[in-house]
Amino acid sequence: MKYEQVEEVKKLLEKDMDTISNMDELNELKVKYLGKKGLITNLNQLIKEIPNEEKKEFGGSVNEVRSVFTEFYENRKNAYEEEILNKKLASEAIDISLPATKVASGAPSILEKLVEEVEEVFMSMGYDVVDGPEIELDKYNFEMLNIPKGHPARDAQDTFYIEGEEVLLRSQTSPVQVRTMLKGKGEVPIRVICPGKTYRRDDDDATHSHQFMQIEGLLVDKNISLSDLKGTIDVLVKKLFGPETETRLHPSYYQFTEPSVEADISCFNCHGAGCNICKNTGWITVAGAGVVHPNVLKMGGYDPEKWSGFAFGFGSERLAMLKYGINDCRVFYNTDLREEKVFDRKEKDLND
Ligand code: DAH
């Protein structure tokens, strides 16, 4: 009698299996056979009523039905899951042959580009590119550059003081000269340039900004003279403004150089005919420079009897304005995107 019940369940199961066509139906089937009151579960309950010696055989036949079910269940379950996954993948497929949406890309800042170009020229001559702090000590920004406290030369640089009289925002990149010499501990040669930000209490106008950039240079070795300086500047400006560009030095005054000069380049625009870029002089001033003052060498730990050097300071914005035909330095620091356009156009002109 009880064995017949097992047979019945088995037959019913075989019939039911033929009707299943999706996951939901499969799950319903599971409940029908293995749920709390499922048909196979019920068969298990019958074991209690079976005499002991038959329990094993009866149990075996119930297990057989159970295996038929579980095998069917597992196979179908895997098949349905795969089907669902395939459908999902098909619906989410990406057509890689479609043209991509264009992503607007940024352009390099002209100032950054220019500084990089200058760095490359100097690195090719064996210079290191070094850095120094923008928050500087009065000692390095002035005193060790031969500008003692109270000296009138300080007035030319309207300095932002941060703490009392000792801590300031550097008004020039020249303090990096001092720091480099102190680090050099009397060893030669020193060959460095330092591009960096500088600060002065200037009112902002087309040619002034309270924050601007300089490119400082320092070379210390044996028998260095003004002609070395001139030759070095010449290499740079020919690279920046074209091979026909000439360099000229005219006398100037800085506390930390003796003699002091300003470096001019021949006007790349009018070639001497006269234009508003060179203010009809045919020459454009691009840097302050000179032979390092013996006091500065001495304070930096270099014996001025043995060593000499030259130093220079370019205004980065000025170089960029000249090179790219920009007449207002404020464009470097605002969000006027015309700056990039000027750059793109000039780059194209220069490459053509
Ligand atoms: N620091 C000077 C300035 O800000 C520029 C300069 C002049 C730098 C002569 C130098 C130098 O290294 O030798 O006006």
Side-chain angles (χ1 to χ4, degrees):
M1 176 62 190
K2 305 233 166 15
Y3 286 97
E4 276 165 23
Q5 264 178 275
V6 179
E7 272 309 300
E8 266 170 38
V9 171
K10 192 174 171 190
K11 273 197 193 125
L12 186 62
L13 173 63
E14 274 160 6
K15 247 171 70 194
D16 278 349
M17 288 192 307
D18 282 343
T19 67
I20 302 299
S21 63
N22 61 43
M23 195 72 174
D24 287 344
E25 288 171 5
L26 185 68
N27 284 330
E28 277 167 27
L29 193 72
K30 191 177 183 188
V31 175
K32 181 171 174 183
Y33 284 87
L34 289 181
K36 251 189 182 162
K37 289 186 179 144
L39 296 173
I40 298 175
T41 320
N42 286 343
L43 292 178
N44 275 336
Q45 308 291 329
L46 293 178
I47 289 189
K48 287 182 257 163
E49 297 160 29
I50 302 281
N52 275 350
E53 62 276 18
E54 286 179 34
K55 271 192 166 64
K56 191 171 171 197
E57 194 189 343
F58 184 80
S61 61
V62 174
N63 277 346
E64 213 179 286
V65 185
R66 180 189 288 271
S67 322
V68 171
F69 177 83
T70 40
E71 195 181 321
F72 172 78
Y73 178 83
E74 285 305 324
N75 286 343
R76 281 295 175 93
K77 184 172 164 253
N78 290 341
Y80 292 143
E81 279 175 355
E82 199 176 314
E83 197 178 298
I84 292 169
L85 183 68
N86 284 340
K87 270 195 197 144
K88 194 165 177 237
L89 288 177
S91 73
E92 288 174 359
I94 296 166
D95 181 356
I96 55 165
S97 66
L98 275 176
T101 8
K102 203 166 180 245
V103 180
S105 61
S109 134
I110 295 185
L111 207 47
E112 202 68 37
K113 267 309 266 190
L114 178 113
V115 170
E116 271 173 24
E117 213 174 322
V118 174
E119 284 176 0
E120 261 162 41
V121 174
F122 278 100
M123 285 192 296
S124 75
M125 292 191 279
Y127 282 66
D128 287 332
V129 178
V130 297
D131 229 353
E134 288 168 34
I135 296 174
E136 189 49 286
L137 296 176
D138 183 274
K139 183 167 89 173
Y140 298 130
N141 194 78
F142 289 124
E143 281 173 49
M144 291 179 78
L145 286 167
N146 207 27
I147 314 176
K149 287 213 166 64
H151 194 283
R154 288 182 178 223
D155 294 349
Q157 305 194 358
D158 279 315
T159 310
F160 285 112
Y161 280 89
I162 296 178
E163 266 174 37
E165 293 198 332
E166 299 307 328
V167 186
L168 45 79
L169 287 177
R170 69 178 175 198
S171 59
Q172 48 186 351
T173 42
S174 302
V176 181
Q177 289 186 27
V178 179
R179 289 179 173 274
T180 305
M181 279 190 265
L182 292 175
K183 244 194 223 150
K185 299 203 161 52
E187 298 281 317
V188 289
I190 288 181
R191 270 188 241 117
V192 294
I193 60 160
C194 169
K197 290 190 186 124
T198 49
Y199 303 83
R200 285 185 202 176
R201 287 189 287 115
D202 263 334
D203 285 334
D204 294 356
D205 63 25
T207 52
H208 295 87
S209 159
H210 62 281
Q211 184 249 294
F212 52 103
M213 287 187 77
Q214 291 187 333
I215 304 171
E216 192 77 17
L218 173 70
L219 183 142
V220 180
D221 209 336
K222 210 172 175 61
N223 294 330
I224 300 301
S225 71
L226 266 189
S227 60
D228 298 305
L229 170 71
K230 185 168 181 240
T232 304
I233 291 180
D234 205 47
V235 171
L236 175 71
V237 297
K238 280 189 162 54
K239 194 85 192 175
L240 289 183
F241 298 104
E244 66 289 346
T245 312
E246 283 176 42
T247 308
R248 157 183 108 166
L249 303 180
H250 73 252
S252 185
Y253 180 77
Y254 298 99
Q255 277 288 113
F256 35 93
T257 41
E258 178 56 40
S260 300
V261 295
E262 280 185 329
D264 301 338
I265 58 169
S266 56
C267 184
F268 50 83
N269 187 47
C270 67
H271 304 287
C275 70
N276 61 0
I277 294 184
C278 61
K279 302 203 178 81
N280 291 320
T281 63
W283 294 93
I284 305 166
T285 301
V286 291
V291 172
V292 183
H293 196 290
N295 288 351
V296 176
L297 282 175
K298 219 183 288 167
M299 285 187 268
Y302 283 77
D303 181 354
E305 300 292 327
K306 256 167 98 181
W307 312 118
S308 51
F310 64 68
F312 55 80
F314 286 91
S316 313
E317 287 84 353
R318 180 153 171 78
L319 288 182
M321 286 164 79
L322 288 171
K323 174 151 183 177
Y324 295 105
I326 295 168
N327 54 15
D328 190 332
C329 70
R330 286 170 293 195
V331 303
F332 297 123
Y333 299 106
N334 65 22
T335 51
D336 188 341
L337 293 178
R338 280 176 302 173
E339 178 214 355
E340 281 159 23
K341 297 230 174 63
V342 171
F343 174 69
D344 285 348
R345 201 178 62 234
K346 283 276 172 175
E347 266 303 86
K348 208 169 149 288
D349 289 352
L350 294 172
N351 289 334
D352 285 347

